């Protein structure tokens, strides 16, 4: 049954997809961001989660039944990630407490729950793959754990239900997003096509040959709505991926074909995109001017550092979806189709030629 929703992070990949889904499903949607973008059916709320007083003022009069938290702030160290991102969740739930309206809070984290934070990513003793929700937290500080703990504490105090959603790398549209593999690869492919540079896989042999999976933002939005409206999903943590698995040795050629470039055969050498694209800002501005693109700043579209982290991992990553399936969530999204849909949207919105 539709109600009133507050989506936090509507300028990002997940938040925008979630707000769009809820609006089409008949919810009254409030979309919070520091600089919210216009979105059909969404009432914008401009606020900074690090400013408790300003946040409380911005949310005065907003009484959501469901809250969807799909944002974070990258800091220089994991200690700062924990301090800042934990406080952001705490400030949000504190600001909503006076209304007493919240029935459910859905929090988006990710597979760093199993793989470790940026400072210790893929290092040490990791859980066996495929990752399953019952696997214990790693013995390492992690801002995802801090965010969860803030939700758990507020839920115990205020009586609302919760769900935690752990996607793998997310495919979806956002401009200015800190973690955006799909648009990064699109920009890289365009640069290769426009300059004649080889379209080379930037990552590790393990990622090229091994199995992996990903998460379409639209499917993640459906998963959060399902958990919010399904009593059996209350107070549960879930993995959420598309449902297929693939090897980058197969996917790389499919992406290349979509852009009309030739995929170079992987030679085992890691060539990070952060290095390959380091000097491309000026070139992108030229391409944007030539094709009349809407965004001339490459840094607003591409996040090479994040794509390198995923594609350079020394371990195979596959995610189990059995828990959601047993409780009735059966949505499935082929990952190559998710990439194609994103690329078509980027082209329609004049973000790539």
């Amino acid at each position: 049954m539709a109600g009133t929703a507050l989506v936090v992070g509507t300028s990002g990949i997940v938040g925008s997809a979630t707000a769009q889904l809820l609006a089409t499903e008949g919810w009254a949607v409030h979309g919070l961001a520091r600089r919210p973008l216009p979105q059909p059916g969404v009432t914008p709320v401009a606020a900074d989660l690090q400013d408790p007083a300003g946040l409380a003022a911005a949310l005065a009069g907003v009484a959501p039944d469901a809250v969807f938290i799909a944002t974070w702030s990258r800091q220089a160290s994991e200690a700062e990630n924990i301090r800042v991102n934990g406080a952001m969740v705490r400030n949000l739930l504190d600001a909503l407490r006076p209304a007493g309206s919240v029935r459910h809070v859905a929090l988006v984290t990710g597979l760093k729950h199993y793989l470790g934070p940026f400072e210790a990513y893929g290092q040490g003793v990791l859980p066996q793959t495929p990752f399953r929700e019952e696997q214990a937290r790693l013995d390492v500080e992690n801002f995802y754990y801090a965010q969860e703990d803030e939700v758990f504490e507020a839920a115990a105090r205020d009586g609302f239900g919760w769900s935690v959603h752990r996607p793998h790398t997310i495919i979806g549209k956002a401009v200015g997003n800190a973690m955006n593999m799909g648009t990064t690869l699109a920009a890289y492919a365009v640069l290769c096509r426009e300059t004649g540079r080889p379209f080379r896989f930037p990552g590790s042999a393990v990622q090229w040959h091994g199995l992996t999976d990903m998460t379409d933002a639209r499917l993640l939005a459906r998963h959060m709505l399902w958990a919010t409206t399904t009593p059996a999903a209350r107070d549960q943590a879930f993995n959420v991926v598309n449902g297929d698995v693939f090897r980058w040795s197969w996917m790389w050629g499919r992406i290349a074909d979509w852009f009309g470039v030739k995929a170079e055969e992987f030679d085992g050498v890691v060539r990070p995109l952060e290095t390959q694209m380091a000097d491309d800002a000026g070139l992108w501005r030229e391409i944007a001017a030539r094709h009349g693109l809407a965004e001339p700043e490459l840094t607003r579209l591409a996040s090479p550092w994040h794509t390198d982290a995923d594609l350079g991992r020394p371990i195979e990553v596959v995610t189990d979806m059995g828990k959601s399936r047993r409780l009735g969530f059966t949505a499935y999204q082929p990952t190559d189709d998710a990439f194609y849909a994103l690329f078509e949207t980027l082209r329609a919105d004049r973000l790539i030629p």
Side-chain angles (χ1 to χ4, degrees):
M1 185 175 67
T4 300
L6 174 66
V7 181
V8 183
T10 49
S11 61
I13 294 174
V14 177
S16 61
T18 303
Q20 180 179 351
L21 173 66
L22 291 168
T24 61
E25 292 290 327
W27 287 67
V29 183
H30 299 267
L32 188 150
R34 283 181 298 173
R35 292 175 294 276
L37 301 172
Q39 195 168 356
V42 179
T43 301
V45 179
D48 185 343
L49 295 178
Q50 297 185 55
D51 175 10
L55 181 62
L59 289 173
V62 178
D65 304 297
V67 181
F68 302 83
I69 306 175
T71 189
W72 71 293
S73 178
R74 187 186 182 198
Q75 304 297 312
S77 68
E78 191 58 22
E80 279 298 289
N81 277 332
I82 290 167
R83 184 186 69 80
V84 170
N85 289 282
M88 287 165 56
V89 173
R90 183 169 61 255
N91 293 341
L92 171 70
L93 299 179
D94 284 349
L96 292 171
R97 182 169 300 117
S101 63
V102 177
R103 296 182 294 102
H104 190 93
V105 172
L107 171 69
V108 179
T109 62
L111 293 196
K112 285 188 288 296
H113 183 94
Y114 308 109
L115 287 163
F118 292 117
E119 292 179 1
Y121 190 65
Q123 301 174 18
V125 179
L126 300 176
Q128 184 181 43
T129 57
F131 295 139
R132 292 182 168 86
E133 295 91 343
E134 64 267 21
Q135 292 165 330
R137 290 180 174 182
L138 301 177
D139 187 21
V140 60
E141 295 296 314
N142 190 322
F143 82 88
Y144 283 169
Y145 305 161
Q147 289 180 307
E148 286 185 344
D149 289 342
E150 293 292 346
V151 171
F152 300 160
E153 181 179 339
R157 180 181 57 239
D158 299 335
F160 58 75
W162 57 265
S163 54
V164 174
H165 304 261
R166 300 171 185 160
H168 198 170
T169 305
I170 298 169
I171 303 171
K173 181 201 165 189
V175 176
N177 190 267
M179 299 191 295
N180 194 337
M181 179 189 283
T183 307
T184 299
L185 293 180
Y188 175 58
V190 168
L191 287 162
C192 290
R193 187 181 65 200
E194 295 281 326
T195 62
R197 282 161 31 186
F199 186 63
R200 288 173 170 158
F201 182 71
S204 68
V206 171
Q207 294 306 306
W208 180 256
H209 296 294
L211 291 172
T212 193
D213 48 27
M214 294 184 73
T215 306
D216 188 307
R218 299 166 301 177
L219 182 137
L220 175 54
R222 291 170 65 189
H223 193 263
M224 286 195 287
L225 178 55
W226 163 80
T228 298
T229 56
T230 300
R234 181 185 171 104
D235 299 346
Q236 298 288 329
F238 296 100
N239 297 329
V240 51
V241 287
N242 288 336
D244 63 346
V245 294
F246 63 91
R247 303 180 199 275
W248 277 105
S249 56
W250 175 80
M251 185 68 77
W252 198 249
R254 295 182 74 76
I255 293 174
D257 288 346
W258 197 94
F259 284 96
V261 296
K262 181 179 182 298
E264 292 285 307
E265 187 63 31
F266 181 60
D267 61 4
V269 177
V270 177
R271 296 182 173 87
L273 290 180
E274 197 161 25
T275 301
Q276 290 194 56
M277 301 173 72
D279 300 320
D280 285 338
L283 177 57
W284 187 264
R285 281 191 287 270
E286 294 175 12
I287 293 170
R290 186 163 64 248
H291 292 281
L293 301 185
E295 181 51 70
E297 297 304 319
L298 183 59
T299 55
R300 296 269 298 155
L301 297 174
S303 50
W305 69 273
H306 173 256
T307 300
D308 288 338
D310 274 7
L311 298 185
R313 286 184 301 221
I315 58 172
E316 182 177 272
V317 176
V318 182
T319 316
D320 182 74
M321 277 286 285
K323 185 175 182 179
S324 292
R325 302 298 188 226
R326 290 186 182 97
L327 292 176
F329 184 79
T330 58
Y332 170 84
Q333 171 64 62
T335 300
D336 51 345
D337 288 349
F339 273 121
Y340 300 157
L342 170 63
F343 300 155
E344 289 165 1
T345 297
L346 295 176
R347 183 169 284 173
D349 292 347
R350 297 188 303 108
L351 291 170
I352 62 172

